Amino acid sequence: MNQPSDGPGRAHVVTITAAHCASAFAALGLPPYLPRLLPELGDPNARWAGLLYVLPTLCTALAAPVWGRLADRHGPKLLLVRAQFGLAVAFGLAAIAQNMTSLVIALIAQGLLGGTYSASTAYLAAGLRGPRLSGALALMQGSARTALAGAPVLAGLLSTMLDVRQMYGMATLLPLAAAIATLILPAPTGAGRSVRAAAEPTTARTGITVAGMCLAEGGFVLVTVITFPYFLPLAHQIAPGLAPVLIGLLFAAPHLCYLLACAFTLRWLRGRARAGLTAGYALAAVSAAVHLFVAPGAGALAWLVFGRLVLGAALALGLPSLSLLATEAATGRRPGKLFGTVEAASKSGAVLAGVAASALAGFGPAAPLAVPVVAGLALAAAVAGFTRPAPGPLIAPTTTS
């Protein structure tokens, strides 16, 4: 059962995606409740909530390239299981935290020992190529969107029955279950990718460069995630008295748009990935501008809904385009190193978004949206430059038998 295979089948891809979704539910759903835990640990005003929120992301950005290189050396399956067990250990540490120091250690462990997204994509890229790989990467994005939209709702329901540490204790079960499911899967051999690339190390490469892929990924994260921490107060400001359930639906709406449209847009964008990414950046800027300039009053809710749907269109075009470009970048490259590096860039974009949002939040909950307006338009104008293919010799990957 654990013998190497020629590449993950559909059932294996679904298992990897579901395992990532389970792990991500805990990682994404619990951090918003840190302000409730901090007073019990010696921070009565939750002054450190913002820093602690971004701490795991920063640590993941630092650790992902290292784990990626180890995946190329020791096999992506082993490193994926390691990431899942690492998350379980981190959540367990948070569940027994008795002071700020122990909580900080737990969150650092979450960032350094986790990294299930890049480990999962490395596993898939080691055994798939072409349309099958881009489809699997789009499905992975779907798992992330599902977790991002659903995790806060589930955590909110649990918070009525459990305290935060008890929720972290329950959360350890999710990555443990994911690790057990992954252990059953075969170890991919690279579908011949590594063997072929190693046998032809001088073949010309015509795809996007790693640097271009990193800028594309990090830039898209920057222009789309900066609204997340401040959407709740912004929605209350724009539409006072709006029911919490409706605010939750508005928060989830862009992610639901992606889930509904991604299968179609992925097919339509084949051969048009750069145009799709350009449109994604531009639509993200338009959405941010709508959120930024809409004022309370008649019609405000309709404008807010419009802004969320435009952001959904940005995700539905931009994320499949990134999957297609990542497939292009993966040709002839070591999957662990590539996706570890891209994950570091993605997390760096999230950290930059968090820092920028914190710096501007003093001017009001809408002020951070100036960043995606400017950055989205600038990136849209520059896509053709930083995604330009750069011919050169292939890197001869090491095999992962």
Side-chain angles (χ1 to χ4, degrees):
M1 182 174 295
N2 287 316
Q3 293 300 312
S5 72
D6 288 335
R10 182 181 297 273
H12 300 153
V13 172
V14 171
T15 299
I16 289 294
T17 304
H20 169 262
C21 189
S23 299
F25 250 82
L28 295 174
L30 295 181
Y33 292 88
L34 286 175
R36 184 183 297 183
L37 173 61
L38 294 183
E40 301 175 24
L41 303 181
D43 182 12
N45 298 316
R47 293 183 301 112
W48 295 100
L51 177 61
L52 295 179
Y53 190 91
V54 79
L55 183 58
T57 304
L58 176 61
C59 292
T60 299
L62 296 173
V66 177
W67 292 125
R69 287 175 172 83
L70 289 174
D72 292 326
R73 183 176 302 173
H74 301 291
K77 177 183 173 180
L78 176 63
L79 270 293
L80 174 54
V81 173
R82 175 217 58 79
Q84 291 160 339
F85 277 122
L87 271 186
V89 169
F91 294 155
L93 291 174
I96 61 173
Q98 297 298 317
N99 51 52
M100 287 292 294
T101 301
S102 55
L103 179 62
V104 167
I105 291 172
L107 295 176
I108 290 175
Q110 179 182 328
L112 294 180
L113 302 181
T116 55
Y117 186 86
S118 60
S120 299
T121 53
Y123 177 98
L124 295 171
L128 301 174
R129 62 182 305 187
R132 290 186 66 202
L133 177 56
S134 59
L137 294 179
L139 194 60
M140 281 292 298
Q141 283 287 356
S143 80
R145 299 300 122 186
T146 300
L148 190 57
V153 176
L154 179 60
L157 292 174
L158 289 175
S159 69
T160 63
M161 300 174 285
L162 304 172
D163 65 34
V164 179
R165 278 175 290 196
Q166 288 173 328
M167 288 196 290
Y168 268 109
M170 287 191 62
T172 60
L173 300 176
L174 294 174
L176 284 177
I180 292 171
T182 304
L183 283 169
I184 300 173
L185 297 178
T189 62
R193 179 201 307 276
S194 297
V195 175
R196 280 191 295 271
E200 304 176 53
T202 59
T203 302
R205 181 191 293 122
T206 58
I208 185 174
T209 64
V210 175
M213 190 67 228
C214 287
L215 180 56
E217 182 79 28
F220 197 77
V221 169
L222 171 65
V223 300
T224 55
V225 308
I226 199 167
T227 63
F228 295 172
Y230 298 98
F231 180 71
L232 182 62
L234 180 63
H236 280 302
Q237 175 181 294
I238 293 173
L242 193 63
V245 65
L246 293 179
I247 293 177
L249 288 174
L250 285 173
F251 178 85
H255 311 296
L256 296 176
C257 288
Y258 171 81
L259 293 172
L260 292 173
C262 66
F264 168 76
T265 55
L266 180 67
R267 291 193 298 270
W268 183 73
L269 287 168
R270 295 193 192 281
R272 306 183 182 95
R274 288 160 177 81
L277 185 59
T278 301
Y281 285 134
L283 287 170
V286 171
S287 171
V290 171
H291 288 75
L292 178 61
F293 294 113
V294 65
L301 180 58
W303 277 106
L304 185 59
V305 171
F306 174 71
R308 301 308 287 171
L309 294 178
V310 172
L311 181 57
L315 298 180
L317 291 172
L319 291 175
S321 298
L322 289 171
S323 295
L324 291 166
L325 289 172
T327 300
E328 184 181 301
T331 302
R333 289 189 172 97
R334 301 178 181 91
K337 180 180 179 181
L338 171 66
F339 286 99
T341 303
V342 172
E343 177 73 352
S346 174
K347 298 303 184 185
S348 297
V351 171
L352 180 59
V355 171
S358 297
L360 295 173
F363 298 97
L369 295 166
V371 174
V373 172
V374 175
L377 293 176
L379 287 164
V383 165
F386 65 77
T387 64
R388 182 183 297 116
L394 288 175
I395 301 171
T398 56
T399 57
T400 56
S401 58

